Each structure stands twice: as structure tokens, then as C-alpha cells.
Amino acid sequence: MKKYLAIFAVALLGNQVSADECSVDITGNDQMKYNVSEITVPKRCAEFTINLANIGKLPRAAMGHNVVIAKAADKIVITTDGIAAGLDNDYIKPDDARVVAHSKVVGGGETTSVKFKPADLKDGEDYEFFCSFPGHVSLMWGKLLVK
Ligand code: ZN
């Protein structure tokens, strides 16, 4: 029965993009690592969601992680300003126009997510996702492949 339902669902969706293509689940750990180094973002998604699970054991203040979306060229200055903004601001300067979107900082065992519109990413620019927790950006970042 399940098989027929699946076929029916595919028939209904037709050419439309499936919800699965417009979101991805990633993890961050106590070794300051995401489990992926690149994320494919289909341009045709109206909205794209990155769900982050911090699978570490350490608390938010010690080993918190977030996901920030921005141009690769802005990554370092965003994280530098983020350190000054502090944990209360999720290590992002409030209203930082260079940030496309960002999640909250979460500690071990917690999850968060960030949503953005692929249409807001300009052609010809390199975009990345990264963690703005102080000291993490050198290890915790990856490329967004907008297709
Ligand atoms: Zn981190």
C-alpha cells in the first residue's frame, strides 16, 4: 500500500520541487565540526531550511554552534563583529546587513534551524555557511552550492 501512495504523491507533485530538496539536516559536535562541507541549494526552492543538531555534550556557553549564511568574503568580519556582540546576540551583530540569515546558538543536545530564500543569493557570488561562535569559523564552515 505504501508503494502506491508514494507513486501517487510523485504524480501529484509533477515537476514541482519536493520539500526534501529544500531542506537539509546537519550536525555540529564537540570537536568543532559540522558533518558536511557543502550544501546544495536548489534555486527553485522558494525557501531553503538548514536544520542544525548540536550532537555534542558541552553546554551552549562552552561549545555552542549556529549556522550563518553570508558571502564568503564577509565571513571573517561577520564573526569578528559577532564576538563583540556576544552570546546574548547569538554572536551576530544585531541587524548586520551582511548576514543573509542565521540561526540561534545551541548547546549540546539542542537543535535549531535557519531559513532563507535562495532568490536572495546573487549570481556570481560565493556563499558559505559557518558557525560564528568565537574561534569556530576556521573549522566550522562550508560552501553553499546554489544550483
Ligand atoms: Zn560552533
Side-chain angles (χ1 to χ4, degrees):
M1 187 62 193
K2 214 170 186 178
K3 188 178 170 189
Y4 295 112
L5 281 175
I7 291 166
F8 183 60
V10 167
L12 273 181
L13 285 167
N15 289 331
Q16 288 183 348
V17 60
S18 75
D20 285 354
E21 285 182 282
C22 298
S23 72
V24 65
D25 296 340
I26 69 171
T27 62
N29 63 21
D30 285 345
Q31 286 71 49
M32 260 189 265
K33 292 273 181 68
Y34 290 129
N35 66 324
V36 293
S37 59
E38 51 186 44
I39 293 173
T40 299
V41 179
K43 252 186 178 176
R44 59 187 181 279
C45 295
E47 193 172 64
F48 192 84
T49 305
I50 300 174
N51 300 305
L52 169 70
N54 184 337
I55 58 170
K57 299 253 187 285
L58 296 168
R60 181 171 178 258
M63 186 56 75
H65 301 307
N66 64 0
V67 179
V68 183
I69 307 300
K71 287 177 189 169
D74 293 334
K75 180 172 64 179
I76 298 305
V77 70
I78 288 170
T79 53
T80 302
D81 286 350
I83 292 168
L87 182 57
D88 287 348
N89 290 306
D90 294 301
Y91 292 115
I92 290 291
K93 187 174 84 174
D95 302 318
D96 190 333
R98 298 163 301 197
V99 173
V100 175
H102 73 92
S103 75
K104 294 177 176 176
V105 171
V106 291
E110 299 174 328
T111 60
T112 187
S113 65
V114 58
K115 292 175 190 290
F116 60 95
K117 293 182 170 66
D120 289 342
L121 306 181
K122 296 189 186 89
D123 288 338
E125 291 279 1
D126 290 330
Y127 287 89
E128 292 179 352
F129 63 96
F130 54 89
C131 177
S132 66
F133 193 99
H136 288 200
V137 72
S138 61
L139 289 173
M140 296 191 78
W141 67 277
K143 293 182 176 188
L144 287 187
L145 306 176
V146 185
K147 290 182 175 171

PDB file of all heavy atoms in Angstrom, residues 82-120:
ATOM      1  N   GLY A  82      30.734  39.553  15.520  1.00  0.00           N
ATOM      2  CA  GLY A  82      29.886  38.686  16.314  1.00  0.00           C
ATOM      3  C   GLY A  82      30.447  38.428  17.709  1.00  0.00           C
ATOM      4  O   GLY A  82      29.695  38.318  18.678  1.00  0.00           O
ATOM      5  N   ILE A  83      31.773  38.343  17.800  1.00  0.00           N
ATOM      6  CA  ILE A  83      32.405  38.120  19.107  1.00  0.00           C
ATOM      7  C   ILE A  83      32.057  39.284  20.040  1.00  0.00           C
ATOM      8  O   ILE A  83      31.684  39.089  21.194  1.00  0.00           O
ATOM      9  CB  ILE A  83      33.933  37.948  18.962  1.00  0.00           C
ATOM     10  CG1 ILE A  83      34.232  36.638  18.235  1.00  0.00           C
ATOM     11  CG2 ILE A  83      34.623  37.980  20.332  1.00  0.00           C
ATOM     12  CD1 ILE A  83      35.681  36.488  17.779  1.00  0.00           C
ATOM     13  N   ALA A  84      32.126  40.507  19.513  1.00  0.00           N
ATOM     14  CA  ALA A  84      31.799  41.688  20.319  1.00  0.00           C
ATOM     15  C   ALA A  84      30.311  41.697  20.690  1.00  0.00           C
ATOM     16  O   ALA A  84      29.939  42.168  21.767  1.00  0.00           O
ATOM     17  CB  ALA A  84      32.164  42.954  19.541  1.00  0.00           C
ATOM     18  N   ALA A  85      29.460  41.177  19.815  1.00  0.00           N
ATOM     19  CA  ALA A  85      28.008  41.164  20.075  1.00  0.00           C
ATOM     20  C   ALA A  85      27.649  40.196  21.199  1.00  0.00           C
ATOM     21  O   ALA A  85      26.672  40.402  21.913  1.00  0.00           O
ATOM     22  CB  ALA A  85      27.258  40.797  18.799  1.00  0.00           C
ATOM     23  N   GLY A  86      28.439  39.126  21.344  1.00  0.00           N
ATOM     24  CA  GLY A  86      28.249  38.223  22.474  1.00  0.00           C
ATOM     25  C   GLY A  86      27.191  37.143  22.288  1.00  0.00           C
ATOM     26  O   GLY A  86      26.418  37.161  21.331  1.00  0.00           O
ATOM     27  N   LEU A  87      27.203  36.230  23.254  1.00  0.00           N
ATOM     28  CA  LEU A  87      26.296  35.075  23.200  1.00  0.00           C
ATOM     29  C   LEU A  87      24.825  35.495  23.243  1.00  0.00           C
ATOM     30  O   LEU A  87      23.978  34.862  22.611  1.00  0.00           O
ATOM     31  CB  LEU A  87      26.620  34.119  24.359  1.00  0.00           C
ATOM     32  CG  LEU A  87      25.800  32.827  24.452  1.00  0.00           C
ATOM     33  CD1 LEU A  87      25.894  31.993  23.184  1.00  0.00           C
ATOM     34  CD2 LEU A  87      26.266  31.999  25.662  1.00  0.00           C
ATOM     35  N   ASP A  88      24.520  36.581  23.973  1.00  0.00           N
ATOM     36  CA  ASP A  88      23.123  37.037  24.046  1.00  0.00           C
ATOM     37  C   ASP A  88      22.570  37.386  22.665  1.00  0.00           C
ATOM     38  O   ASP A  88      21.358  37.371  22.451  1.00  0.00           O
ATOM     39  CB  ASP A  88      22.995  38.253  24.970  1.00  0.00           C
ATOM     40  CG  ASP A  88      23.132  37.862  26.436  1.00  0.00           C
ATOM     41  OD1 ASP A  88      23.088  36.654  26.735  1.00  0.00           O
ATOM     42  OD2 ASP A  88      23.285  38.771  27.274  1.00  0.00           O
ATOM     43  N   ASN A  89      23.451  37.733  21.748  1.00  0.00           N
ATOM     44  CA  ASN A  89      23.038  38.053  20.365  1.00  0.00           C
ATOM     45  C   ASN A  89      23.397  36.922  19.403  1.00  0.00           C
ATOM     46  O   ASN A  89      23.498  37.153  18.190  1.00  0.00           O
ATOM     47  CB  ASN A  89      23.702  39.354  19.914  1.00  0.00           C
ATOM     48  CG  ASN A  89      23.144  40.563  20.641  1.00  0.00           C
ATOM     49  OD1 ASN A  89      21.944  40.790  20.647  1.00  0.00           O
ATOM     50  ND2 ASN A  89      24.020  41.317  21.298  1.00  0.00           N
ATOM     51  N   ASP A  90      23.632  35.732  19.956  1.00  0.00           N
ATOM     52  CA  ASP A  90      23.994  34.573  19.130  1.00  0.00           C
ATOM     53  C   ASP A  90      25.258  34.832  18.313  1.00  0.00           C
ATOM     54  O   ASP A  90      25.417  34.316  17.203  1.00  0.00           O
ATOM     55  CB  ASP A  90      22.826  34.165  18.213  1.00  0.00           C
ATOM     56  CG  ASP A  90      21.640  33.658  19.023  1.00  0.00           C
ATOM     57  OD1 ASP A  90      21.818  32.678  19.772  1.00  0.00           O
ATOM     58  OD2 ASP A  90      20.561  34.258  18.933  1.00  0.00           O
ATOM     59  N   TYR A  91      26.146  35.674  18.861  1.00  0.00           N
ATOM     60  CA  TYR A  91      27.419  36.007  18.211  1.00  0.00           C
ATOM     61  C   TYR A  91      27.233  36.555  16.794  1.00  0.00           C
ATOM     62  O   TYR A  91      28.014  36.260  15.880  1.00  0.00           O
ATOM     63  CB  TYR A  91      28.382  34.812  18.214  1.00  0.00           C
ATOM     64  CG  TYR A  91      28.863  34.456  19.600  1.00  0.00           C
ATOM     65  CD1 TYR A  91      28.529  33.240  20.193  1.00  0.00           C
ATOM     66  CD2 TYR A  91      29.633  35.349  20.345  1.00  0.00           C
ATOM     67  CE1 TYR A  91      28.946  32.926  21.475  1.00  0.00           C
ATOM     68  CE2 TYR A  91      30.050  35.044  21.636  1.00  0.00           C
ATOM     69  CZ  TYR A  91      29.704  33.834  22.188  1.00  0.00           C
ATOM     70  OH  TYR A  91      30.124  33.524  23.469  1.00  0.00           O
ATOM     71  N   ILE A  92      26.185  37.390  16.654  1.00  0.00           N
ATOM     72  CA  ILE A  92      25.941  38.117  15.407  1.00  0.00           C
ATOM     73  C   ILE A  92      25.610  39.561  15.785  1.00  0.00           C
ATOM     74  O   ILE A  92      24.756  39.793  16.647  1.00  0.00           O
ATOM     75  CB  ILE A  92      24.745  37.508  14.617  1.00  0.00           C
ATOM     76  CG1 ILE A  92      25.119  36.139  14.051  1.00  0.00           C
ATOM     77  CG2 ILE A  92      24.301  38.446  13.493  1.00  0.00           C
ATOM     78  CD1 ILE A  92      26.143  36.139  12.941  1.00  0.00           C
ATOM     79  N   LYS A  93      26.298  40.499  15.160  1.00  0.00           N
ATOM     80  CA  LYS A  93      25.989  41.907  15.396  1.00  0.00           C
ATOM     81  C   LYS A  93      24.528  42.144  15.014  1.00  0.00           C
ATOM     82  O   LYS A  93      24.110  41.774  13.906  1.00  0.00           O
ATOM     83  CB  LYS A  93      26.909  42.788  14.533  1.00  0.00           C
ATOM     84  CG  LYS A  93      26.780  44.265  14.822  1.00  0.00           C
ATOM     85  CD  LYS A  93      27.812  45.065  14.053  1.00  0.00           C
ATOM     86  CE  LYS A  93      27.322  45.343  12.636  1.00  0.00           C
ATOM     87  NZ  LYS A  93      28.241  46.253  11.912  1.00  0.00           N
ATOM     88  N   PRO A  94      23.718  42.741  15.918  1.00  0.00           N
ATOM     89  CA  PRO A  94      22.297  42.944  15.604  1.00  0.00           C
ATOM     90  C   PRO A  94      22.116  43.695  14.279  1.00  0.00           C
ATOM     91  O   PRO A  94      22.812  44.677  14.018  1.00  0.00           O
ATOM     92  CB  PRO A  94      21.793  43.772  16.787  1.00  0.00           C
ATOM     93  CG  PRO A  94      22.703  43.387  17.912  1.00  0.00           C
ATOM     94  CD  PRO A  94      24.058  43.188  17.276  1.00  0.00           C
ATOM     95  N   ASP A  95      21.193  43.222  13.462  1.00  0.00           N
ATOM     96  CA  ASP A  95      20.862  43.840  12.172  1.00  0.00           C
ATOM     97  C   ASP A  95      22.053  43.944  11.223  1.00  0.00           C
ATOM     98  O   ASP A  95      22.157  44.891  10.447  1.00  0.00           O
ATOM     99  CB  ASP A  95      20.237  45.231  12.385  1.00  0.00           C
ATOM    100  CG  ASP A  95      18.987  45.160  13.246  1.00  0.00           C
ATOM    101  OD1 ASP A  95      18.181  44.232  13.048  1.00  0.00           O
ATOM    102  OD2 ASP A  95      18.832  46.021  14.138  1.00  0.00           O
ATOM    103  N   ASP A  96      22.955  43.019  11.299  1.00  0.00           N
ATOM    104  CA  ASP A  96      24.106  43.000  10.392  1.00  0.00           C
ATOM    105  C   ASP A  96      23.598  42.722   8.964  1.00  0.00           C
ATOM    106  O   ASP A  96      23.153  41.615   8.655  1.00  0.00           O
ATOM    107  CB  ASP A  96      25.087  41.906  10.828  1.00  0.00           C
ATOM    108  CG  ASP A  96      26.416  41.982  10.079  1.00  0.00           C
ATOM    109  OD1 ASP A  96      26.420  42.481   8.930  1.00  0.00           O
ATOM    110  OD2 ASP A  96      27.428  41.545  10.639  1.00  0.00           O
ATOM    111  N   ALA A  97      23.682  43.734   8.108  1.00  0.00           N
ATOM    112  CA  ALA A  97      23.125  43.632   6.753  1.00  0.00           C
ATOM    113  C   ALA A  97      23.890  42.631   5.883  1.00  0.00           C
ATOM    114  O   ALA A  97      23.394  42.192   4.852  1.00  0.00           O
ATOM    115  CB  ALA A  97      23.135  45.007   6.087  1.00  0.00           C
ATOM    116  N   ARG A  98      25.111  42.279   6.312  1.00  0.00           N
ATOM    117  CA  ARG A  98      25.900  41.319   5.516  1.00  0.00           C
ATOM    118  C   ARG A  98      25.432  39.881   5.736  1.00  0.00           C
ATOM    119  O   ARG A  98      25.772  38.993   4.966  1.00  0.00           O
ATOM    120  CB  ARG A  98      27.388  41.426   5.896  1.00  0.00           C
ATOM    121  CG  ARG A  98      27.971  42.802   5.592  1.00  0.00           C
ATOM    122  CD  ARG A  98      29.273  43.018   6.335  1.00  0.00           C
ATOM    123  NE  ARG A  98      29.087  42.905   7.784  1.00  0.00           N
ATOM    124  CZ  ARG A  98      29.954  43.355   8.685  1.00  0.00           C
ATOM    125  NH1 ARG A  98      31.061  43.953   8.294  1.00  0.00           N
ATOM    126  NH2 ARG A  98      29.729  43.207   9.974  1.00  0.00           N
ATOM    127  N   VAL A  99      24.665  39.679   6.801  1.00  0.00           N
ATOM    128  CA  VAL A  99      24.164  38.331   7.113  1.00  0.00           C
ATOM    129  C   VAL A  99      22.867  38.078   6.345  1.00  0.00           C
ATOM    130  O   VAL A  99      21.901  38.823   6.497  1.00  0.00           O
ATOM    131  CB  VAL A  99      23.921  38.192   8.641  1.00  0.00           C
ATOM    132  CG1 VAL A  99      23.241  36.869   8.961  1.00  0.00           C
ATOM    133  CG2 VAL A  99      25.238  38.331   9.393  1.00  0.00           C
ATOM    134  N   VAL A 100      22.862  37.037   5.514  1.00  0.00           N
ATOM    135  CA  VAL A 100      21.644  36.674   4.778  1.00  0.00           C
ATOM    136  C   VAL A 100      20.627  36.108   5.762  1.00  0.00           C
ATOM    137  O   VAL A 100      19.446  36.467   5.738  1.00  0.00           O
ATOM    138  CB  VAL A 100      21.957  35.642   3.674  1.00  0.00           C
ATOM    139  CG1 VAL A 100      20.669  35.160   2.994  1.00  0.00           C
ATOM    140  CG2 VAL A 100      22.923  36.239   2.641  1.00  0.00           C
ATOM    141  N   ALA A 101      21.091  35.229   6.642  1.00  0.00           N
ATOM    142  CA  ALA A 101      20.230  34.623   7.660  1.00  0.00           C
ATOM    143  C   ALA A 101      21.116  33.917   8.678  1.00  0.00           C
ATOM    144  O   ALA A 101      22.266  33.581   8.372  1.00  0.00           O
ATOM    145  CB  ALA A 101      19.270  33.617   7.027  1.00  0.00           C
ATOM    146  N   HIS A 102      20.593  33.723   9.874  1.00  0.00           N
ATOM    147  CA  HIS A 102      21.357  32.952  10.871  1.00  0.00           C
ATOM    148  C   HIS A 102      20.416  32.312  11.865  1.00  0.00           C
ATOM    149  O   HIS A 102      19.311  32.800  12.103  1.00  0.00           O
ATOM    150  CB  HIS A 102      22.392  33.834  11.591  1.00  0.00           C
ATOM    151  CG  HIS A 102      21.796  34.809  12.582  1.00  0.00           C
ATOM    152  ND1 HIS A 102      21.627  34.514  13.909  1.00  0.00           N
ATOM    153  CD2 HIS A 102      21.318  36.063  12.405  1.00  0.00           C
ATOM    154  CE1 HIS A 102      21.081  35.561  14.515  1.00  0.00           C
ATOM    155  NE2 HIS A 102      20.873  36.513  13.632  1.00  0.00           N
ATOM    156  N   SER A 103      20.902  31.212  12.448  1.00  0.00           N
ATOM    157  CA  SER A 103      20.124  30.530  13.482  1.00  0.00           C
ATOM    158  C   SER A 103      20.580  31.030  14.847  1.00  0.00           C
ATOM    159  O   SER A 103      21.498  31.842  14.954  1.00  0.00           O
ATOM    160  CB  SER A 103      20.354  29.020  13.387  1.00  0.00           C
ATOM    161  OG  SER A 103      21.638  28.699  13.899  1.00  0.00           O
ATOM    162  N   LYS A 104      19.940  30.502  15.878  1.00  0.00           N
ATOM    163  CA  LYS A 104      20.403  30.732  17.242  1.00  0.00           C
ATOM    164  C   LYS A 104      21.633  29.878  17.512  1.00  0.00           C
ATOM    165  O   LYS A 104      21.910  28.931  16.775  1.00  0.00           O
ATOM    166  CB  LYS A 104      19.303  30.341  18.235  1.00  0.00           C
ATOM    167  CG  LYS A 104      18.086  31.228  18.154  1.00  0.00           C
ATOM    168  CD  LYS A 104      17.012  30.740  19.118  1.00  0.00           C
ATOM    169  CE  LYS A 104      15.847  31.712  19.067  1.00  0.00           C
ATOM    170  NZ  LYS A 104      14.726  31.282  19.894  1.00  0.00           N
ATOM    171  N   VAL A 105      22.335  30.194  18.583  1.00  0.00           N
ATOM    172  CA  VAL A 105      23.421  29.334  19.062  1.00  0.00           C
ATOM    173  C   VAL A 105      22.797  28.300  19.994  1.00  0.00           C
ATOM    174  O   VAL A 105      22.057  28.662  20.919  1.00  0.00           O
ATOM    175  CB  VAL A 105      24.493  30.148  19.831  1.00  0.00           C
ATOM    176  CG1 VAL A 105      25.498  29.213  20.501  1.00  0.00           C
ATOM    177  CG2 VAL A 105      25.204  31.117  18.887  1.00  0.00           C
ATOM    178  N   VAL A 106      23.072  27.024  19.727  1.00  0.00           N
ATOM    179  CA  VAL A 106      22.524  25.958  20.573  1.00  0.00           C
ATOM    180  C   VAL A 106      23.645  25.110  21.171  1.00  0.00           C
ATOM    181  O   VAL A 106      24.700  24.931  20.564  1.00  0.00           O
ATOM    182  CB  VAL A 106      21.530  25.044  19.810  1.00  0.00           C
ATOM    183  CG1 VAL A 106      20.255  25.792  19.473  1.00  0.00           C
ATOM    184  CG2 VAL A 106      22.165  24.459  18.557  1.00  0.00           C
ATOM    185  N   GLY A 107      23.383  24.597  22.366  1.00  0.00           N
ATOM    186  CA  GLY A 107      24.345  23.752  23.058  1.00  0.00           C
ATOM    187  C   GLY A 107      24.110  22.276  22.773  1.00  0.00           C
ATOM    188  O   GLY A 107      23.217  21.912  21.993  1.00  0.00           O
ATOM    189  N   GLY A 108      24.902  21.444  23.411  1.00  0.00           N
ATOM    190  CA  GLY A 108      24.821  20.008  23.207  1.00  0.00           C
ATOM    191  C   GLY A 108      23.416  19.465  23.434  1.00  0.00           C
ATOM    192  O   GLY A 108      22.754  19.815  24.409  1.00  0.00           O
ATOM    193  N   GLY A 109      22.945  18.634  22.488  1.00  0.00           N
ATOM    194  CA  GLY A 109      21.630  18.021  22.611  1.00  0.00           C
ATOM    195  C   GLY A 109      20.493  18.893  22.106  1.00  0.00           C
ATOM    196  O   GLY A 109      19.338  18.469  22.108  1.00  0.00           O
ATOM    197  N   GLU A 110      20.814  20.117  21.667  1.00  0.00           N
ATOM    198  CA  GLU A 110      19.767  21.029  21.204  1.00  0.00           C
ATOM    199  C   GLU A 110      19.781  21.154  19.680  1.00  0.00           C
ATOM    200  O   GLU A 110      20.784  20.872  19.035  1.00  0.00           O
ATOM    201  CB  GLU A 110      19.958  22.421  21.826  1.00  0.00           C
ATOM    202  CG  GLU A 110      19.869  22.406  23.338  1.00  0.00           C
ATOM    203  CD  GLU A 110      20.203  23.761  23.958  1.00  0.00           C
ATOM    204  OE1 GLU A 110      21.029  24.503  23.406  1.00  0.00           O
ATOM    205  OE2 GLU A 110      19.635  24.049  25.015  1.00  0.00           O
ATOM    206  N   THR A 111      18.670  21.612  19.146  1.00  0.00           N
ATOM    207  CA  THR A 111      18.570  21.814  17.694  1.00  0.00           C
ATOM    208  C   THR A 111      18.081  23.223  17.398  1.00  0.00           C
ATOM    209  O   THR A 111      17.444  23.870  18.238  1.00  0.00           O
ATOM    210  CB  THR A 111      17.590  20.820  17.039  1.00  0.00           C
ATOM    211  OG1 THR A 111      16.304  21.005  17.618  1.00  0.00           O
ATOM    212  CG2 THR A 111      18.036  19.387  17.237  1.00  0.00           C
ATOM    213  N   THR A 112      18.373  23.669  16.189  1.00  0.00           N
ATOM    214  CA  THR A 112      17.904  24.971  15.722  1.00  0.00           C
ATOM    215  C   THR A 112      17.798  24.896  14.211  1.00  0.00           C
ATOM    216  O   THR A 112      18.171  23.890  13.608  1.00  0.00           O
ATOM    217  CB  THR A 112      18.866  26.098  16.166  1.00  0.00           C
ATOM    218  OG1 THR A 112      18.292  27.372  15.825  1.00  0.00           O
ATOM    219  CG2 THR A 112      20.219  25.983  15.471  1.00  0.00           C
ATOM    220  N   SER A 113      17.276  25.941  13.607  1.00  0.00           N
ATOM    221  CA  SER A 113      17.227  25.955  12.145  1.00  0.00           C
ATOM    222  C   SER A 113      17.310  27.384  11.633  1.00  0.00           C
ATOM    223  O   SER A 113      17.045  28.347  12.371  1.00  0.00           O
ATOM    224  CB  SER A 113      15.964  25.273  11.629  1.00  0.00           C
ATOM    225  OG  SER A 113      14.826  25.994  12.016  1.00  0.00           O
ATOM    226  N   VAL A 114      17.692  27.478  10.375  1.00  0.00           N
ATOM    227  CA  VAL A 114      17.754  28.782   9.708  1.00  0.00           C
ATOM    228  C   VAL A 114      17.090  28.638   8.344  1.00  0.00           C
ATOM    229  O   VAL A 114      17.280  27.631   7.665  1.00  0.00           O
ATOM    230  CB  VAL A 114      19.214  29.283   9.597  1.00  0.00           C
ATOM    231  CG1 VAL A 114      20.099  28.305   8.847  1.00  0.00           C
ATOM    232  CG2 VAL A 114      19.265  30.649   8.919  1.00  0.00           C
ATOM    233  N   LYS A 115      16.293  29.621   7.987  1.00  0.00           N
ATOM    234  CA  LYS A 115      15.592  29.628   6.699  1.00  0.00           C
ATOM    235  C   LYS A 115      16.043  30.845   5.903  1.00  0.00           C
ATOM    236  O   LYS A 115      16.249  31.919   6.476  1.00  0.00           O
ATOM    237  CB  LYS A 115      14.074  29.744   6.910  1.00  0.00           C
ATOM    238  CG  LYS A 115      13.423  28.546   7.550  1.00  0.00           C
ATOM    239  CD  LYS A 115      11.948  28.850   7.806  1.00  0.00           C
ATOM    240  CE  LYS A 115      11.277  27.785   8.654  1.00  0.00           C
ATOM    241  NZ  LYS A 115      11.105  26.516   7.979  1.00  0.00           N
ATOM    242  N   PHE A 116      16.176  30.660   4.604  1.00  0.00           N
ATOM    243  CA  PHE A 116      16.482  31.798   3.738  1.00  0.00           C
ATOM    244  C   PHE A 116      15.901  31.529   2.358  1.00  0.00           C
ATOM    245  O   PHE A 116      15.532  30.396   2.033  1.00  0.00           O
ATOM    246  CB  PHE A 116      17.991  32.051   3.666  1.00  0.00           C
ATOM    247  CG  PHE A 116      18.799  30.896   3.134  1.00  0.00           C
ATOM    248  CD1 PHE A 116      19.147  30.845   1.787  1.00  0.00           C
ATOM    249  CD2 PHE A 116      19.195  29.864   3.960  1.00  0.00           C
ATOM    250  CE1 PHE A 116      19.889  29.790   1.282  1.00  0.00           C
ATOM    251  CE2 PHE A 116      19.928  28.791   3.454  1.00  0.00           C
ATOM    252  CZ  PHE A 116      20.271  28.756   2.116  1.00  0.00           C
ATOM    253  N   LYS A 117      15.819  32.583   1.575  1.00  0.00           N
ATOM    254  CA  LYS A 117      15.281  32.466   0.219  1.00  0.00           C
ATOM    255  C   LYS A 117      16.442  32.384  -0.772  1.00  0.00           C
ATOM    256  O   LYS A 117      17.228  33.337  -0.871  1.00  0.00           O
ATOM    257  CB  LYS A 117      14.408  33.685  -0.109  1.00  0.00           C
ATOM    258  CG  LYS A 117      13.133  33.762   0.707  1.00  0.00           C
ATOM    259  CD  LYS A 117      12.301  34.974   0.273  1.00  0.00           C
ATOM    260  CE  LYS A 117      10.917  34.940   0.893  1.00  0.00           C
ATOM    261  NZ  LYS A 117      10.946  35.094   2.359  1.00  0.00           N
ATOM    262  N   PRO A 118      16.563  31.267  -1.488  1.00  0.00           N
ATOM    263  CA  PRO A 118      17.642  31.157  -2.486  1.00  0.00           C
ATOM    264  C   PRO A 118      17.654  32.329  -3.477  1.00  0.00           C
ATOM    265  O   PRO A 118      18.719  32.717  -3.956  1.00  0.00           O
ATOM    266  CB  PRO A 118      17.327  29.831  -3.191  1.00  0.00           C
ATOM    267  CG  PRO A 118      16.643  29.023  -2.137  1.00  0.00           C
ATOM    268  CD  PRO A 118      15.806  30.016  -1.376  1.00  0.00           C
ATOM    269  N   ALA A 119      16.486  32.914  -3.737  1.00  0.00           N
ATOM    270  CA  ALA A 119      16.411  34.054  -4.669  1.00  0.00           C
ATOM    271  C   ALA A 119      17.192  35.261  -4.151  1.00  0.00           C
ATOM    272  O   ALA A 119      17.573  36.144  -4.927  1.00  0.00           O
ATOM    273  CB  ALA A 119      14.958  34.436  -4.913  1.00  0.00           C
ATOM    274  N   ASP A 120      17.430  35.289  -2.817  1.00  0.00           N
ATOM    275  CA  ASP A 120      18.191  36.409  -2.244  1.00  0.00           C
ATOM    276  C   ASP A 120      19.702  36.253  -2.440  1.00  0.00           C
ATOM    277  O   ASP A 120      20.468  37.173  -2.125  1.00  0.00           O
ATOM    278  CB  ASP A 120      17.902  36.533  -0.736  1.00  0.00           C
ATOM    279  CG  ASP A 120      16.488  37.037  -0.476  1.00  0.00           C
ATOM    280  OD1 ASP A 120      15.875  37.592  -1.413  1.00  0.00           O
ATOM    281  OD2 ASP A 120      16.011  36.875   0.661  1.00  0.00           O
TER     282      ASP A 120
END
